[in-house]
Amino acid sequence: MRLRLTAPLLSPGRDLWAPAVDTHEGHITSDMQLSTYLDPALELGPRNVLLFLQDKLSIEDFTAYGGVFGNKQDSAFSNLENALDLAPSSLVLPAVDWYAVSTLTTYLQEKLGASPLHVDLATLRELKLNASLPALLLIRLPYTASSSLMAPREVLTGNDEVIGQVLSTLKSEDVPYTAALTAVRPSRVTRDVAMVAGGLGRQLLQKQPASVVIHPPVSYNDTAPRILFWAQNFSVAYGGRWEDLTLITFNLQRFSLTGSSWNDSLAVLALTYEQLFGTTVTFKFILANRFYPVSARHWFTMDRLEIHGNGSVVYFNASQITGPSIYSFHCQYVSTNGDNGNILVPDTQPSLWQMTLQDFQIQAFNVTGEQFSYASDCAGFFSPGIWMGLLTSLFMLFIFTYGLHMILSLKTMDRFDDHKGPTITLTQIV
């Protein structure tokens, strides 16, 4: 989704936007970053805010139908480009996270202290806006719900004309405003098509592989997201009986986070399930954040995993789950099963409880928005394949070195028979 923001102000020389150092092409602006960019404009700028909301819009639309090659007369965004050129202060974000867009109206309502008012062009002409009183006007652009029968250029041109008429109306009334343009979802989704043997024609006839279902992570929030937990498969067993908790955890969210807590040094993620194995079961992931002078940085470690159920508590050592605090932790398998790494080690053997987490990822510190940071993976750098390659290379290097040494050790004859001198005679001794 693309978000365009314009802020015509009362004082033309004033810049309300914080430097958007990360707004390069390909960067996705999170909800926290978006609020950082918008806070100065909403606190110091005009109190009348216009939010133009479109159904679909992507950055490729501006490249395909805008005047990017100097053809301003053919641009489908002439009014929008003119508004950006004339605005004393403006901000353009190439891509904005869907969560940030979905909560944008709520965020603006809280910052302005005004309820959103859905208006059209006719209603706007009848409104009397006051520069001193906050107002949040939500303008749903037309031609979006029934745009399947219209060419994309016609759709975008029609929306641009509505934007131009609305801005002209406010300009004629001499009302300062802040305007934003965004969309609910992207109009184009980039699909990575990998070339396969046999050419593109052969690939088009092949059956498309089934897409992997990606469910959102579990998030514990107090004033902001604090702990993120995700797994492709989450299964537990008690007494040899296995239960798959993936669906009720990440999709249906039929659990309670009661007992979870967070501070800068200790985080507890408690997942409580009703009627699991006939009783209430709570899984507690306990992570600690510590500073290590040797590395001069903070590292987090999962001290233990606790399973509360059937009136007892079982503890699992999970100290292998560790990494720098600015990173998340990822592992293909986190399990009590020795075949999958045995990262979870019970304090008492044998244990009636077993757990397997496939494609596991967790982050409890330095969480920004609803997205994980760069992951510190449990897989060691020297995998079996790397060791095999290194040993084979060292063996070949040894053979090469030994052969080179043998060649350099060869010595040629340094004495020869001189035909001008006396001949060599051998005396026979009887």
Side-chain angles (χ1 to χ4, degrees):
M1 277 162 248
R2 185 177 181 86
L3 179 67
R4 285 180 168 267
L5 301 166
T6 63
L9 309 177
L10 292 174
S11 52
R14 219 164 143 190
D15 189 5
L16 296 181
W17 309 106
V21 294
D22 292 327
T23 57
H24 52 77
E25 210 59 47
H27 174 77
I28 300 178
T29 304
S30 65
D31 58 330
M32 299 295 291
Q33 292 174 326
L34 182 60
S35 61
T36 302
Y37 298 149
L38 295 182
D39 283 346
L42 298 177
E43 294 172 0
L44 305 176
R47 305 294 290 169
N48 294 310
V49 177
L50 302 177
L51 178 59
F52 295 95
L53 190 59
Q54 219 172 275
D55 284 346
K56 298 179 180 180
L57 189 64
S58 293
I59 187 174
E60 291 82 5
D61 295 327
F62 294 92
T63 304
Y65 306 110
V68 294
F69 300 108
N71 301 323
K72 295 295 184 180
Q73 65 277 8
D74 296 332
S75 175
F77 307 98
S78 57
N79 291 306
L80 181 60
E81 293 171 357
N82 184 56
L84 287 173
D85 293 337
L86 298 179
S89 181
S90 64
L91 174 66
V92 178
L93 302 178
V96 178
D97 181 63
W98 66 269
Y99 178 78
V101 174
S102 62
T103 58
L104 181 58
T105 304
T106 304
Y107 164 78
L108 294 176
Q109 181 178 353
E110 293 177 354
K111 293 294 293 185
L112 296 174
S115 300
L117 179 61
H118 294 260
V119 298
D120 53 17
L121 188 58
T123 307
L124 182 63
R125 292 172 179 171
E126 298 178 359
L127 287 178
K128 298 299 181 182
L129 299 177
N130 192 334
S132 60
L133 297 178
L136 175 57
L137 305 181
L138 180 60
I139 303 174
R140 192 83 179 190
L141 294 177
Y143 306 109
T144 51
S146 60
S147 61
S148 58
L149 301 179
M150 301 177 62
R153 179 180 291 274
E154 297 178 4
V155 175
L156 297 173
T157 303
N159 290 340
D160 183 70
E161 292 178 356
V162 174
I163 294 175
Q165 293 174 6
V166 171
L167 298 183
S168 298
T169 300
L170 294 180
K171 185 177 180 180
S172 63
E173 297 179 1
D174 196 20
V175 177
Y177 62 89
T178 299
L181 168 63
T182 187
V184 178
R185 59 185 183 275
S187 60
R188 308 182 186 198
V189 179
T190 303
R191 180 172 172 264
D192 186 12
V193 181
M195 298 301 293
V196 296
L200 182 60
R202 180 184 180 92
Q203 180 188 358
L204 293 176
L205 298 177
Q206 293 180 345
K207 182 178 179 181
Q208 296 294 335
S211 58
V212 180
V213 178
I214 304 297
H215 38 253
V218 172
S219 175
Y220 169 69
N221 308 312
D222 46 19
T223 57
R226 299 300 186 185
I227 307 175
L228 297 179
F229 163 67
W230 189 87
Q232 184 65 36
N233 181 271
F234 179 21
S235 300
V236 296
Y238 180 75
R241 175 189 168 191
W242 284 91
E243 289 286 347
D244 189 349
L245 305 181
T246 308
L247 182 62
I248 63 175
T249 302
F250 300 103
N251 293 90
L252 303 179
Q253 296 186 354
R254 294 177 181 173
F255 64 91
S256 172
L257 290 173
T258 303
S260 300
S261 61
W262 182 91
N263 57 49
D264 291 336
S265 59
L266 183 66
V268 178
L269 178 64
L271 307 178
T272 302
Y273 299 85
E274 301 289 343
Q275 298 303 319
L276 181 61
F277 303 113
T279 185
T280 300
V281 180
T282 300
F283 303 94
K284 286 189 177 183
F285 301 85
I286 302 176
L287 300 96
N289 185 28
R290 302 181 180 92
F291 180 79
Y292 292 88
V294 175
S295 60
R297 69 192 309 180
H298 284 83
W299 289 69
F300 75 89
T301 304
M302 182 179 290
D303 287 345
R304 63 187 183 276
L305 167 66
E306 299 180 0
I307 302 181
H308 300 249
N310 294 323
S312 62
V313 182
V314 179
Y315 300 93
F316 291 85
N317 180 14
S319 58
Q320 297 185 50
I321 301 178
T322 183
S325 296
I326 60 175
Y327 296 158
S328 63
F329 176 85
H330 173 267
C331 194
Q332 186 63 30
Y333 283 99
V334 172
S335 176
T336 57
N337 188 356
D339 296 336
N340 293 327
N342 198 26
I343 292 181
L344 300 176
V345 181
D347 287 353
T348 57
Q349 296 280 2
S351 175
L352 294 176
W353 288 94
Q354 291 180 286
M355 177 181 291
T356 295
L357 294 161
Q358 181 181 354
D359 205 4
F360 167 80
Q361 190 166 4
I362 192 169
Q363 183 175 357
F365 305 97
N366 297 286
V367 176
T368 302
E370 298 285 340
Q371 295 181 345
F372 287 99
S373 301
Y374 177 84
S376 175
D377 204 281
C378 66
F381 179 77
F382 291 99
S383 64
I386 294 178
W387 277 116
M388 292 175 62
L390 286 176
L391 292 177
T392 303
S393 300
L394 291 175
F395 180 70
M396 297 297 293
L397 181 61
F398 170 76
I399 295 177
F400 172 77
T401 304
Y402 179 77
L404 183 62
H405 175 72
M406 296 297 293
I407 292 175
L408 295 176
S409 298
L410 292 177
K411 295 182 178 180
T412 59
M413 296 177 59
D414 56 354
R415 293 183 180 182
F416 300 92
D417 185 17
D418 187 1
H419 65 280
K420 294 182 180 181
T423 60
I424 300 176
T425 60
L426 299 176
T427 304
Q428 184 177 6
I429 302 176
V430 178

